[in-house]
Amino acid sequence: MDNILEKPVSKQFSKELPADKIEENFTRQVNEACFSFADTRVPTNPSLVHFSSELLADLNVKINNNSEFVRVMSGAIPFKDFKSYAMCYGGHQFGHWAGQLGDGRAINIAEFEFNKVNWQFQLKGAGPTPYSRRGDGLAVLRSSIREYLCSEAMHHLGVPTTRALSLVKTGDLVTRDILYNGNPENEQGAIVCRASPSFIRFGSFEIFTSRKDIKNLQKLADYTINHHYSYLGTPSKKTYIQFFKEVANRTREMIIHWQRVGFVHGVMNTDNMSILGLTIDYGPYGWLENFDPGWTPNTTDSQYRRYRFGNQASVALWNLNQLANALYPLIEQVEPLQKILSEFRTSYLIDYHKMMADKLGLYQLNKIPKQFLKDLETNLTKSEIDYTFFFRELSDNSNQVEEDFWAIIEKTSYLNLKALHPHKEGWTTWFSHYVNLFIKEGIDVTERENKMKAVNPKFVLRNYMAQLAIDDAEKGDYNLLNELYQLLLKPYDDQPKMNKWYAKRPDWAKHKVGCSMLSCSS
Ligand code: AMP
Ligand code: MG
């Protein structure tokens, strides 16, 4: 097994795509380039917080020398033979074109080929780049823990995502105004090393089209197809259409997974949409606790709730529309793009129906009326039922009788018994319908339970759990962080010793910053 620090780098992205001709590191508009070379900032006193043994194992590499690993993963020294760079992209933020954005605080420090697939490794928070605008290029421990734990947790939940290799503290202080209310504070600086076969985003294409730079738009599209969608064949007008269709499919599958596990991204701007359909850029994300399609964890979005749980598919479609506009100059036909966009809506509804049926342990889809699922959602919302807890309890009692079912409702609701009582009738009607459906299916109870448990996680990274790990880590104690990391490696396993994490959000967390409300400040 290779030591990752000695493995030869590949430079696929930086060799094949156009580089910014200017190499000095100052804020600017970068034209006719996919990236700009930029050195990482040297941290004062880097130290390791955690690394992902699982990602190392997945990539079939190891670490020999911890102190050299920390120096590389904190940007103190570069990877051998690699000139680091920040990527250029634009994006629509909250529905408005924002122009050039780019990696304002991410720097790619290596590319490697693993099993014929190229991977990019990037440090988030390793100093300013030409894309930093007014930002400092840094990240704090709080948000880095959230990104590190969640991206690995999502991977183990089976949700397409970028990965995280390591988390280090820089030993430097970073000033942030968490609530944007004029109370800036010094926080500990940190860096996550993210890894992905590609960090190309919808916005990477949009920036070229917005500048009418069709030559480079085509270079980027051809590169993406040749390396990441090579099964589509040689790039041509027809292939670009197929490519768009594939991106739409992967995006749809990703959103279905988010809805299944109750994940709310929080900032689905087009610069945060991966061209590979991976979950990317973990900022003010959150996990649905009491079921509420209108919920968003992002305080910056609290007025319009554009990125609320129940709107993620519509926003994905809106974002795909922007990608279609960006690819149009290569295709010059509206109809095939429009067809793909309208298919997204229909296919999404079919997939969503199937996913919810799987969560319920129902498999004869044609027998499940849409209204039945709607009634479930209405009941879950009105009774303020914890999404993860409810479906897992349901999986555990897959041969319920009505009293058992009502016990689940009582146990998983955030309402007190008195407030819950008026909703009992609605649940009773729904439950009798449910029992009829699964009796007709005639599936073996154990088989059904196993299938349900494979789609209904027992453990997710609830916002308060991440916050507890952050509170300890800020004091230098990483035990809880490590415990949660281990717990979330097997989110579908029963892990009875870990039952303290199998519970509703505690009351104290309901309105605490970091547990229910998050801003983009990170
Ligand atoms: P995000 O909301 O994290 O996706 O970031 C949106 C844009 O702002 C991206 O171009 C980021 O690189 C940039 N950005 C966010 N935070 C910082 C920061 N502290 N310094 C520089 N750029 C930043
Ligand atoms: Mg981003």
Side-chain angles (χ1 to χ4, degrees):
M1 205 186 279
D2 295 330
N3 171 5
I4 187 162
L5 299 180
E6 274 154 27
K7 193 176 160 64
V9 289
S10 68
K11 301 185 196 168
Q12 191 181 87
F13 183 93
S14 51
K15 215 157 67 185
E16 294 184 28
L17 288 168
D20 179 3
K21 290 186 184 65
I22 304 173
E23 291 203 14
E24 287 101 297
N25 195 347
F26 63 93
T27 297
R28 60 180 175 272
Q29 288 295 305
V30 174
N31 288 296
E32 296 174 42
C34 287
F35 65 94
S36 305
F37 289 110
D39 289 335
T40 52
R41 172 182 173 278
V42 178
T44 304
N45 184 20
S47 60
L48 184 66
V49 178
H50 209 274
F51 68 86
S52 169
S53 319
E54 282 64 34
L55 178 56
L56 286 172
D58 289 350
L59 299 174
N60 198 25
V61 284
K62 61 175 181 177
I63 303 172
N64 279 351
N65 178 336
N66 259 7
S67 78
E68 196 188 348
F69 181 72
V70 173
R71 284 194 293 150
V72 173
M73 293 305 154
S74 63
I77 53 171
F79 252 103
K80 222 171 25 195
D81 300 327
F82 200 86
K83 221 165 134 181
S84 54
Y85 61 86
M87 292 162 72
C88 180
Y89 50 81
H92 278 84
Q93 296 185 314
F94 297 93
H96 303 284
W97 175 242
Q100 177 183 298
L101 296 166
D103 286 335
R105 55 161 169 179
I107 298 183
N108 289 266
I109 54 158
E111 290 177 45
F112 292 112
E113 204 182 290
F114 300 104
N115 281 334
K116 302 211 170 82
V117 179
N118 194 65
W119 278 67
Q120 291 181 303
F121 288 72
Q122 67 175 215
L123 300 186
K124 185 166 175 180
T129 74
Y131 309 98
S132 293
R133 296 174 290 156
R134 282 185 298 274
D136 55 11
L138 304 176
V140 295
L141 184 60
R142 160 176 61 85
S143 61
S144 304
I145 290 177
R146 286 172 46 81
E147 171 138 24
Y148 179 79
L149 281 180
C150 198
S151 40
E152 286 302 281
M154 288 282 268
H155 171 74
H156 297 292
L157 279 165
V159 183
T161 176
T162 60
R163 302 287 302 269
L165 177 62
S166 61
L167 169 62
V168 298
K169 278 203 309 192
T170 57
D172 295 303
L173 292 177
V174 175
T175 311
R176 288 289 181 271
D177 184 356
I178 300 193
L179 293 177
Y180 297 121
N181 61 0
N183 290 310
E185 278 186 33
N186 279 340
E187 297 189 48
Q188 298 175 60
I191 296 174
V192 172
C193 177
R194 312 197 284 192
S196 170
S198 175
F199 286 102
I200 297 173
R201 299 132 193 272
F202 288 11
S204 312
F205 296 88
E206 289 179 275
I207 190 75
F208 287 130
T209 307
S210 77
R211 290 169 169 167
K212 302 195 168 42
D213 181 356
I214 309 309
K215 187 178 95 201
N216 285 310
L217 172 71
Q218 183 170 0
K219 271 191 198 164
L220 181 65
D222 291 358
Y223 173 90
T224 311
I225 292 168
N226 286 334
H227 292 296
H228 303 291
Y229 291 89
S230 58
Y231 53 89
L232 298 178
T234 316
S236 67
K237 273 193 191 200
K238 209 171 128 213
T239 326
Y240 298 135
I241 296 169
Q242 279 303 111
F243 165 57
F244 180 64
K245 190 169 178 176
E246 287 291 300
V247 177
N249 285 342
R250 290 194 197 187
T251 304
R252 191 185 70 239
E253 283 161 20
M254 173 185 78
I255 303 287
I256 291 284
H257 278 293
W258 290 2
Q259 305 305 109
R260 174 175 65 83
V261 299
F263 176 79
V264 188
H265 184 285
V267 205
M268 290 178 68
N269 294 331
T270 56
D271 54 303
N272 291 341
M273 296 294 293
S274 146
I275 204 67
L276 301 184
L278 306 173
T279 313
I280 189 171
D281 275 10
Y282 291 85
Y285 68 80
W287 294 84
L288 200 60
E289 288 175 323
N290 49 300
F291 186 83
D292 175 7
W295 183 70
T296 174
N298 184 356
T299 53
T300 319
D301 190 26
S302 58
Q303 194 181 358
Y304 298 111
R305 296 177 183 264
R306 180 181 175 85
Y307 299 139
R308 63 189 182 271
F309 180 68
N311 207 33
Q312 298 194 112
S314 302
V315 170
L317 180 57
W318 192 92
N319 290 342
L320 282 162
N321 256 291
Q322 306 316 313
L323 180 65
N325 288 336
L327 295 176
Y328 175 78
L330 304 178
I331 295 166
E332 294 178 306
Q333 290 165 269
V334 176
E335 236 168 71
L337 294 171
Q338 253 165 4
K339 186 160 172 274
I340 294 164
L341 291 167
S342 64
E343 275 167 8
F344 178 94
R345 201 178 278 283
T346 358
S347 308
Y348 178 81
L349 291 174
I350 295 170
D351 289 0
Y352 181 79
H353 190 85
K354 178 170 185 319
M355 179 276 288
M356 288 302 284
D358 281 349
K359 280 178 84 68
L360 290 165
L362 299 173
Y363 307 102
Q364 292 174 20
L365 292 182
N366 53 352
K367 302 221 169 91
I368 309 168
K370 285 201 180 70
Q371 192 56 41
F372 171 72
L373 293 180
K374 283 215 179 87
D375 291 345
L376 170 65
E377 290 178 1
T378 308
N379 287 340
L380 289 172
T381 312
K382 282 190 185 159
S383 306
E384 298 190 21
I385 301 289
D386 188 278
Y387 190 57
T388 306
F389 201 11
F390 170 79
F391 277 101
R392 186 68 182 196
E393 284 291 298
L394 204 62
S395 319
D396 240 334
N397 292 272
S398 57
N399 196 21
Q400 313 98 347
V401 288
E402 194 179 323
E403 296 86 85
D404 293 347
F405 180 71
W406 185 246
I408 293 177
I409 298 297
E410 287 184 351
K411 194 166 157 185
T412 60
S413 169
Y414 286 93
L415 297 179
N416 62 37
L417 292 186
K418 196 166 159 235
L420 192 55
H421 195 74
H423 306 301
K424 191 162 184 176
E425 204 183 311
W427 277 119
T428 308
T429 313
W430 183 86
F431 181 69
S432 66
H433 201 159
Y434 181 42
V435 172
N436 279 339
L437 285 169
F438 75 70
I439 288 176
K440 272 191 217 142
E441 302 222 333
I443 184 170
D444 170 74
V445 177
T446 317
E447 186 189 340
R448 187 161 166 265
E449 180 173 326
N450 289 339
K451 280 171 102 168
M452 284 175 78
K453 284 187 170 178
V455 293
N456 294 316
K458 182 167 179 182
F459 305 103
V460 295
L461 183 63
R462 291 170 184 271
N463 313 311
Y464 85 89
M465 291 161 65
Q467 190 56 42
L468 288 173
I470 290 167
D471 290 343
D472 283 1
E474 285 181 338
K475 293 179 211 128
D477 177 355
Y478 306 144
N479 284 318
L480 192 47
L481 193 158
N482 197 33
E483 180 177 327
L484 295 182
Y485 177 89
Q486 292 297 331
L487 171 77
L488 298 167
L489 292 177
K490 295 197 160 76
Y492 300 99
D493 285 10
D494 277 321
Q495 304 192 58
K497 285 195 187 128
M498 292 298 200
N499 271 352
K500 69 172 167 188
W501 301 118
Y502 182 51
K504 282 180 290 192
R505 168 195 66 224
D507 282 345
W508 60 261
K510 189 164 183 190
H511 299 294
K512 188 175 177 326
V513 174
C515 297
S516 60
M517 310 178 281
L518 294 137
S519 72
C520 287
S521 160
S522 56

